[in-house]
Structures are given as C-alpha cells and as structure tokens.
Amino acid sequence: MENPAAGAGAIEVGGLGEALHTDVYLAGVWVSSIAGMEAMARHMGQPALADSAAALLKRADATLEKEFWLDDEGIYAFALLEGDGAAAAGSRRAAGRPQLRVNAALTVWPATAMAFGSLNPERSDRMLRRLSASDVTTDWGTRLLSTKHPLYQPLHYNNGAVWPFMTGFTALANYRTHRAWAGYALVRDIARTTYDFARGRNPELMSGAFYR
C-alpha cells in the first residue's frame, strides 16, 4: 500500500507529508490488515485465500523491516519519499530502491505497527526507548514528532501536538514489548483527560508544550 494510491495516512497537513511514497503508519496498518485477512479466511474455511495472504504477509513483513529500520539511529524511519525536492532534504536513499529516499524523522507513528504485533521485538525495544525520551513523551502523552525536528510546532496538528489516539497505540506497543511500566504511564495519561476537561470530552489532541 502506498500513499499516492491510498491517500492520507499519518499526515494530513504540514511539511512532513510532502513527497510521501509510503509512511510507516500506512505500511504498518497494511501489514496488519493482511494478517487479519489470513485469520478471517482460515476461520471461514477458505484455505487458498488464507495461504495467499500468508505468503503476502511474509513478504510485506520483510519489506517493512528492510525499508524502515535505521540501525545507526536505532529507530524506524517515518516514511519513504519520492524525488529529490525540498521535502527530501536531509534524507537518504532507500535500501535497494534508488528511486526513493528515506525520511528519518523520529515520530511516534511506528508504534502503531508494534501495537498490532508487527516489527522485530528487539528493534521495537530500541525504538520505544527513543520514544520514551522527553523530546517525544510528555506527562500527558506522546507528541507526534520529536521536539528536535526542525518542523516541530507544539500546536501543529501533525507536527508536534499530543494525540491521545497515538498515545494509546504507544502504550499497547510498550506492553507488547514487555515495557509495562512505560505502557502504564501512558494509559494513566489518557485516563486523566476523562476528568480534567469538560465532562464526557476527551480531547482529540493537546499542545505539545503545555497540558492545557
């Protein structure tokens, strides 16, 4: 699955979404959907479809690891980019795909694939250690983008705000990687929003700089 065909994945607005070929959120959800298709097909007694999905899942999982893992940084990259324009500044060539570049921004989006059970456990642990640092994790949830990135803005919808939505995925990713202490803290942060704002209103997003 690729953004030009599928449309918006992780990013709806802002410079981080320029020249996207495939972002890690879309790729992770796509891989998870293949796993879901295999499970449903086997349950419904359609072995040919299940086997086809299993074969595709094996290839897709391997591609996800190969294209997005950056060993020197110990993180999963944000996206694969098309072209050599301004959006690709500071990027690097993708492994084995010279027509694409890698956007190595530290974002919280890879946690989605981890929450669904994809990605290498040891690499996921390294990535989650990075996401637990103060440039991504606040006392009220996870920012979408590291404060160290030049595009970070605390009130920007996609480039710095704290989303309870993604905080939840990051919490589950931590639990799946046996980092329960980190997962619990994030669940606690989401639960706080039940009582700290208008009754019945859990905010979609909050500032990346201040809780209120």
Side-chain angles (χ1 to χ4, degrees):
M1 190 64 73
E2 298 168 352
N3 290 93
I11 301 298
E12 297 169 66
V13 294
L16 202 62
E18 293 180 12
L20 283 181
H21 179 76
T22 302
D23 66 58
V24 69
Y25 172 70
L26 180 65
V29 172
W30 163 237
V31 171
S32 179
S33 72
I34 302 170
M37 177 60 73
E38 179 191 0
M40 287 191 293
R42 294 203 188 283
H43 180 76
M44 296 301 294
Q46 299 186 40
L49 179 57
D51 291 345
S52 174
L56 180 58
L57 177 61
K58 184 177 180 179
R59 298 203 315 272
D61 255 331
T63 300
L64 190 64
E65 288 288 343
K66 177 182 177 181
E67 301 291 356
F68 287 93
W69 176 248
L70 304 175
D71 196 62
D72 289 344
E73 292 89 340
I75 67 170
Y76 285 97
F78 168 63
L80 304 180
L81 306 177
E82 298 178 340
D84 296 311
S91 61
R92 67 194 71 173
R93 292 293 178 188
R97 303 179 73 179
Q99 77 278 19
L100 300 178
R101 302 187 69 85
V102 176
N103 182 332
L106 176 61
T107 72
V108 76
W109 293 108
T112 308
M114 297 176 203
F116 288 138
S118 299
L119 302 181
N120 176 280
E122 292 183 3
R123 291 175 174 178
S124 293
D125 182 78
R126 290 179 65 187
M127 177 69 184
L128 288 167
R129 288 172 186 268
R130 289 291 293 109
L131 294 183
S132 294
S134 61
D135 58 320
V136 176
T137 296
T138 71
D139 290 337
W140 54 98
T142 54
R143 300 180 182 94
L144 296 186
L145 179 65
S146 166
T147 58
K148 297 177 181 178
H149 195 279
L151 290 178
Y152 167 74
Q153 297 178 43
L155 296 180
H156 192 289
Y157 188 74
N158 280 143
N159 288 5
V162 167
W163 281 18
F165 156 66
M166 281 306 300
T167 301
F169 276 125
T170 309
L172 180 54
N174 274 288
Y175 276 111
R176 280 190 176 274
T177 316
H178 307 292
R179 295 170 47 84
W181 66 92
Y184 176 81
L186 295 175
V187 172
R188 177 206 61 202
D189 296 341
I190 298 171
R192 285 172 57 191
T193 69
T194 303
Y195 306 102
D196 290 0
F197 297 87
R199 290 185 178 181
R201 162 124 169 73
N202 294 82
E204 180 193 11
L205 69 163
M206 294 176 283
S207 165
F210 300 99
Y211 183 54
R212 291 175 179 268

